[in-house]
Amino acid sequence: MDLRPSNRRIVVGLLGVMLLVLWGFVAYWSWSQRKKILVSNTVILEQLTTAAEEQTLRLFRHAETSLTVSNHWLAEHPHLDPGDTPSFIALVDRLRHMSDGMLEIRMVTRSGGLHYIPRRGPRPLADVSDRDYVKAQTRMETRGFFIGNPVISRVSGKWGIPVSIPVDKGGGDVGVLFAAIELDRITKTFEAERIKPSGSVAILRADGTFLFRVPQEDHVIGLNIADTPSFKENYALSLRGIFRSSSQFVDGKERMVSFQRLRDYPLIVIVTAGIDDLLAPWRRETATLVAIAGLVSVAIGLLALILLRAMKAEEKAQKATERARREAELILTTAGEGICGIDTAGNVTFMNPAARAMLGWEHDNPIGLNLHAANHHSRPDGSTYPGEDCPVSRTLGDGETREVLGETFWRTNGAGFPVEFIVTGILDEGTVKGAVLVFRDISDRLASEQALTLQATELSRSNADLEQFAYVASHDLREPLRQVASFVSLLERRYGPTLDGDARDYITYARDGAKRMDRLIIDLLEFSRIGHRSLPVEAVNMGDVIDEAIANLRTAIVESGAQVERSSGMPVLRLVRDDMVRLFQNLIGNALKYSHPERTPIVRVAARKDADGWVVSVADNGLGIDPQFSERIFGIFQRLHTRDKFEGTGIGLAIVKKIVERADGRVWVDSVPGEGSTFHVFLPA
Ligand code: ADP
């Protein structure tokens, strides 16, 4: 997986979306739950309102019926005193029983005196002429069944809602029958029904006066709310309804209010429920859910953190791997050698551009092909190369590294080319997993090697020819030369006395020329003989060799009065002895020959050990050599001095050089002109 920073962004994005979904769900659930609770409570509230309306209706219908029935009795018995007549007393008692003791019917005389049934004496119990339920029966527009303002009984001291009815016929001086619905009694009924703790049930008269409320609030009883907005906008306008309000006249709490007008009485039943009460379970559930979601969010956050850290670490590791891979790839692709990877079956798993170019896979894909079948199927001569003989398959078998030279790889176009390759097994815990072939096209190298061999053969052939020619020429040249010299001698001997001076001089020049030419031919013969003869290589004591060379030069040494020294500690080396004697004889001879006219020649021969051999040097105090000629003097016929000063042919040092080179050594000269020269000869040990 390629883990770029964008992937981290994706992870963060996904986790963000998860959190969003989670909190979205919490919000939606909470909102819908709230709505559901409010809707379901609306229904409950409406049902409660209907029930309260039924109960209130029953209550007031019962009160009206009781007063009406009592009034009928008075009309039917105009001459009887209701306060003392047992049948009326029994009727009133029965009616009270039917209302569960809630209705106590009382009589008010035309002068406003209050009497119980049965009458408790001739005097009224109280004067109630000022009460609205008495006054209402004296006015035509309010006369009839009347529901009064709640009052505290002047007899019992309890709150009650008075209802009254006028007495038209009978009853003596009784003008009004009335009953007080005790608030305590209805409180019990409605208290059980209200939604606690802050829900309420109330009865409102159509003119806006509170007749009753549970829970009981004394200041609310008798309160007129006709001027309040909630009355004007709700109770005054419709028969039933539901709304939300914060009723300032109770406790200011927000409530859901349901109301319904009674069918037959100017009364409105109001049932309320505290919004807080309704939503309390929802609040608890929402809080729990929010807490859980919070915990889940924290867990997701932590998870994200851990994940991002892990991803970052992995990214870092991947980057390093990628860099290493790219570096390796760069090395492989820019390498000049063909590099090819194969699996255990010998099929190509990798091939670098150089290999592709060499094998002809620039345009086709070799991956998966068998390398032996594709590019290594035949031997250099074109005969089939069985797979089991192939060093590559052997390496696939044993994991060993093999270096192979002189095989042929075949291009896709059928042309072969010589290769040199190394095949290395890829080992994983001791098991061969494949191999890597590093190969090189050696056509150019083989061609130049071949050319070089050809050149060397050609060179040695022409050298041999040259030597053969020089030998034959010098050998055969001496014969006519000898003839010329002997006839010149004969001429001198026979006609010498008769010839004049000039003629005798000419004869002398001719004889000297022939002599010099003979010397030249002898030296040339000598030069060409080196290498022509095959003398044995043997262990040679260099001390003996140098002593022999000095001995051969005895005459010259005596003549020149020179001092020749040879140091001890000379090595024993495997060389051609005669060649070595000639070499040192030439060098010491030159040292004697090119001596300084003003000093006694001193020649010192010494030897020192070198890294891979010995350096023997011949030092003199002679004329010395100008450094610019230090190479030239080793060439054939090269001389620095004219014949009239020093005899010589210019072959001596050429012979020295040839002998040293045949012994795989080297010769060179160090010199200070006028002071002397030192010739060094390096001979390998
Ligand atoms: P030749 O001695 O026959 O002339 P060589 O090949 O031996 O030929 O020497 C080549 C030349 O090198 C000589 O002519 C001489 O000028 C110079 N030469 C050789 N050895 C010495 C030496 N020891 N000191 C000074 N010059 C030398």
Side-chain angles (χ1 to χ4, degrees):
M1 184 169 65
D2 189 16
L3 281 176
R4 304 263 152 232
S6 64
N7 284 6
R8 269 190 280 159
R9 244 174 271 148
I10 289 171
V11 168
V12 171
L14 274 177
L15 293 175
V17 166
M18 269 169 81
L19 284 176
L20 219 69
V21 166
L22 176 72
W23 284 103
F25 167 75
V26 169
Y28 173 74
W29 180 88
S30 169
W31 170 78
S32 67
Q33 204 65 8
R34 189 174 187 275
K35 203 168 131 182
K36 217 159 95 186
I37 286 177
L38 289 179
V39 167
S40 68
N41 276 292
T42 305
V43 175
I44 291 170
L45 213 59
E46 278 173 346
Q47 286 167 351
L48 280 177
T49 311
T50 307
E53 188 255 0
E54 278 300 329
Q55 279 169 320
T56 312
L57 187 67
R58 240 193 348 265
L59 188 68
F60 281 89
R61 201 168 272 158
H62 187 75
E64 188 182 6
T65 310
S66 299
L67 290 175
T68 309
V69 168
S70 305
N71 204 13
H72 273 159
W73 189 93
L74 294 183
E76 279 169 13
H77 306 88
H79 308 298
L80 295 177
D81 179 2
D84 292 326
T85 309
S87 62
F88 185 68
I89 294 167
L91 174 68
V92 168
D93 201 36
R94 213 166 41 251
L95 288 171
R96 188 169 54 83
H97 273 293
M98 280 167 68
S99 74
D100 279 342
M102 207 148 49
L103 280 173
E104 204 79 58
I105 298 172
R106 316 236 192 275
M107 304 177 296
V108 181
T109 60
R110 295 190 195 281
S111 56
L114 171 71
H115 287 279
Y116 279 13
I117 300 168
R119 210 190 290 271
R120 302 229 178 127
R123 293 178 63 80
L125 296 168
D127 180 6
V128 291
S129 58
D130 57 331
R131 300 290 203 196
D132 61 349
Y133 59 87
V134 178
K135 282 184 181 165
Q137 304 305 349
T138 58
R139 286 196 299 274
M140 268 320 286
E141 63 271 24
T142 51
R143 210 174 146 80
F145 183 72
F146 181 83
I147 300 167
N149 281 340
V151 286
I152 296 171
S153 164
R154 287 176 181 153
V155 177
S156 65
K158 288 179 180 169
W159 275 101
I161 304 168
V163 288
S164 64
I165 190 169
V167 179
D168 296 323
K169 294 174 195 161
D173 67 339
V174 174
V176 173
L177 277 179
F178 93 96
I181 301 169
E182 270 184 31
L183 292 190
D184 280 355
R185 300 282 186 127
I186 34 177
T187 294
K188 275 181 203 143
T189 317
F190 289 119
E191 177 63 25
E193 284 169 16
R194 78 179 177 98
I195 297 167
K196 292 173 192 79
S198 45
S200 66
V201 180
I203 300 169
L204 191 69
R205 210 166 51 193
D207 66 346
T209 307
F210 267 110
L211 299 184
F212 164 79
R213 184 181 185 273
V214 272
Q216 200 165 331
E217 299 275 352
D218 283 355
H219 78 275
V220 174
I221 304 302
L223 185 74
N224 192 291
I225 56 161
D227 291 334
T228 61
S230 65
F231 185 84
K232 286 181 191 158
E233 286 161 19
N234 298 292
Y235 310 123
L237 290 182
S238 40
L239 290 177
R240 59 188 301 154
I242 193 154
F243 65 97
R244 278 164 80 163
S245 132
S246 328
S247 50
Q248 294 304 320
F249 47 86
V250 186
D251 52 13
K253 275 189 188 165
E254 195 183 14
R255 286 182 170 81
M256 191 181 279
V257 181
S258 166
F259 69 93
Q260 192 169 338
R261 246 170 214 273
L262 261 60
R263 269 163 279 161
D264 302 330
Y265 300 101
L267 294 174
I268 300 160
V269 169
I270 304 170
V271 179
T272 73
I275 298 279
D276 280 350
D277 301 341
L278 298 183
L279 293 180
W282 167 82
R283 285 219 171 89
R284 273 196 303 279
E285 281 170 20
T286 300
T288 311
L289 198 68
V290 164
I292 291 170
L295 280 177
V296 171
S297 301
V298 168
I300 288 175
L302 282 176
L303 194 77
L305 215 69
I306 292 165
L307 209 66
L308 286 177
R309 281 229 179 122
M311 283 171 87
K312 210 169 170 182
E314 199 176 326
E315 243 171 58
K316 222 167 144 185
Q318 264 190 357
K319 261 187 202 160
T321 315
E322 173 67 7
R323 201 178 316 120
R325 193 189 64 76
R326 243 182 296 155
E327 274 170 15
E329 202 176 273
L330 210 66
I331 292 167
L332 291 177
T333 51
T334 50
E337 263 98 359
I339 302 171
C340 176
I342 52 172
D343 61 16
T344 45
N347 297 333
V348 176
T349 54
F350 166 81
M351 196 179 272
N352 76 342
R356 282 171 190 257
M358 281 189 252
L359 298 174
W361 291 113
E362 292 105 324
H363 305 299
D364 300 309
N365 188 7
I367 306 299
L369 294 180
N370 187 282
L371 184 70
H372 191 82
N375 299 106
H376 196 205
H377 42 71
S378 303
R379 295 192 193 273
D381 61 6
S383 62
T384 315
Y385 195 168
E388 58 272 21
D389 293 353
C390 174
V392 178
S393 10
R394 292 221 295 280
T395 290
L396 285 177
D398 59 17
E400 295 285 321
T401 297
R402 290 185 168 78
E403 274 188 59
V404 183
L405 192 73
E407 290 207 347
T408 295
F409 278 177
W410 302 90
R411 284 186 232 286
T412 48
N413 66 6
F417 60 98
V419 286
E420 169 182 271
F421 66 84
I422 296 182
V423 54
T424 311
I426 301 170
L427 298 174
D428 185 11
E429 291 175 354
T431 318
V432 184
K433 292 284 186 237
V436 176
L437 231 82
V438 179
F439 64 95
R440 187 182 297 163
D441 180 345
I442 54 166
S443 319
D444 290 350
R445 199 174 80 197
L446 286 188
S448 57
E449 271 174 13
Q450 219 167 5
L452 216 63
T453 316
L454 218 66
Q455 224 171 7
T457 318
E458 188 63 26
L459 202 68
S460 61
R461 196 171 53 77
S462 80
N463 268 352
D465 283 357
L466 209 65
E467 276 167 13
Q468 180 71 15
F469 167 78
Y471 181 75
V472 170
S474 48
H475 190 267
D476 293 354
L477 277 175
R478 287 192 76 195
E479 185 49 39
L481 193 63
R482 221 175 281 130
Q483 199 176 353
V484 170
S486 56
F487 278 102
V488 168
S489 298
L490 200 62
L491 202 63
E492 192 187 19
R493 249 197 334 268
R494 186 168 297 180
Y495 303 103
T498 59
L499 293 175
D500 61 6
D502 282 353
R504 275 204 296 276
D505 282 349
Y506 297 154
I507 286 173
T508 307
Y509 294 152
R511 199 186 50 227
D512 283 357
K515 218 180 179 175
R516 218 172 52 247
M517 191 162 181
D518 191 44
R519 182 79 245 155
L520 267 171
I521 290 170
I522 288 170
D523 283 353
L524 203 59
L525 204 56
E526 184 101 348
F527 181 82
S528 60
R529 263 193 195 133
I530 305 163
H532 201 71
R533 302 163 305 165
S534 48
L535 293 173
V537 171
E538 55 191 315
V540 177
N541 186 322
M542 296 306 285
D544 293 351
V545 163
I546 291 159
D547 290 346
E548 190 176 333
I550 294 170
N552 291 346
L553 292 164
R554 186 163 303 122
T555 319
I557 293 168
V558 171
E559 274 175 9
S560 61
Q563 193 184 321
V564 180
E565 296 166 7
R566 186 215 17 115
S567 72
S568 58
M570 289 288 167
V572 174
L573 299 168
R574 289 193 61 78
L575 294 161
V576 177
R577 194 175 196 286
D578 281 3
D579 285 351
M580 286 299 121
V581 174
R582 182 166 297 113
L583 189 156
F584 287 102
Q585 198 172 318
N586 278 358
L587 290 180
I588 300 166
N590 278 351
L592 297 171
K593 185 159 61 171
Y594 301 105
S595 61
H596 201 283
E598 289 159 17
R599 48 185 184 244
T600 309
I602 300 172
V603 183
R604 289 197 176 91
V605 184
R608 66 181 162 85
K609 178 88 179 75
D610 193 47
D612 359 87
W614 286 81
V615 178
V616 183
S617 45
V618 179
D620 63 47
N621 60 345
L623 298 170
I625 302 161
D626 188 333
Q628 62 172 312
F629 303 121
S630 52
E631 284 288 329
R632 213 174 95 182
I633 51 171
F634 292 101
I636 194 162
F637 300 137
Q638 295 296 329
R639 307 202 66 218
L640 301 181
H641 297 90
T642 51
R643 204 164 15 95
D644 51 330
K645 285 200 179 137
F646 296 97
E647 278 286 326
T649 55
I651 282 184
L653 288 181
I655 289 173
V656 165
K657 189 169 185 232
K658 197 168 177 185
I659 292 172
V660 170
E661 282 176 356
R662 284 188 68 80
D664 291 328
R666 206 159 69 81
V667 60
W668 68 102
V669 65
D670 285 332
S671 177
V672 180
E675 288 185 20
S677 319
T678 304
F679 282 82
H680 305 276
V681 177
F682 166 78
L683 294 167

